[in-house]
Amino acid sequence: MTDTVKATAEKTTEKATEFFADVREKATDVAEKGKKFAAEAVEFNKANVEAIVEAGKIVAKGAQEMGKTNMEFAKKNFEEVQVAVKELTAVKSPTDFVKFQGELARKGFDTAVAQGSKNTEAMVKLVSEMFQPISNRIAATTELFKKAA
């Protein structure tokens, strides 16, 4: 019976050693996979932040360009108003005054519509350009999830 107990103890010790070696191996694998996942997550998030920064740069540049364009428009408009005031003061009759004022109003309306259209086009273009880096990241994320599935 002592031999049987001894054999059973040795067998149990052997099984326990194998079990803990297997647990250690699996834990090491999980730790390595966790490190790899963490590194990939850091890179992924870094790319997301870079896309947001790029979008911010695009917005800043676009806003600067739109501001410059609007300042040029305001300057041109101011110059045209000065000319119109001079022309208005040179009008001799009330009929000519009303006629000239109507022309100025029509010209002002046309100019405002044209500038508004330009601003709208510039804004649509800016928004499209701004979302491009973010859209690229969304595509990359979608591709990553497709690979994972």
Side-chain angles (χ1 to χ4, degrees):
M1 179 144 161
T2 309
D3 290 339
T4 305
V5 171
K6 190 175 179 183
T8 303
E10 286 175 3
K11 200 172 198 181
T12 302
T13 303
E14 184 181 319
K15 291 286 185 188
T17 303
E18 287 175 13
F19 172 76
F20 286 116
D22 188 44
V23 167
R24 195 173 328 119
E25 184 180 323
K26 287 180 180 178
T28 302
D29 287 347
V30 168
E32 287 301 316
K33 287 179 182 176
K35 286 179 189 177
K36 182 180 175 188
F37 177 77
E40 289 173 355
V42 166
E43 284 301 312
F44 184 79
N45 287 331
K46 180 181 173 188
N48 288 346
V49 169
E50 288 171 354
I52 291 171
V53 168
E54 182 64 25
K57 288 178 183 177
I58 291 169
V59 168
K61 182 180 177 188
Q64 185 178 17
E65 287 297 317
M66 287 179 69
K68 181 180 172 185
T69 300
N70 285 331
M71 285 301 293
E72 290 169 0
F73 170 73
K75 181 180 175 185
K76 181 182 172 191
N77 193 35
F78 181 73
E79 291 168 357
E80 288 176 358
V81 166
Q82 286 179 330
V83 170
V85 167
K86 286 180 184 176
E87 290 175 359
L88 205 62
T89 58
V91 172
K92 303 289 184 209
S93 71
T95 305
D96 289 342
F97 181 82
V98 170
K99 181 180 173 186
F100 186 70
Q101 194 174 23
E103 290 172 7
L104 284 178
R106 192 172 19 262
K107 184 179 178 186
F109 178 77
D110 290 344
T111 302
V113 168
Q115 188 62 28
S117 181
K118 270 182 163 179
N119 282 343
T120 300
E121 288 174 17
M123 185 61 76
V124 168
K125 181 181 177 203
L126 176 60
V127 168
S128 175
E129 289 174 356
M130 176 193 75
F131 277 114
Q132 189 58 50
I134 296 168
S135 178
N136 292 344
R137 288 307 304 155
I138 290 170
T141 302
T142 303
E143 197 60 36
L144 183 69
F145 283 124
K146 282 181 183 176
K147 287 180 183 177

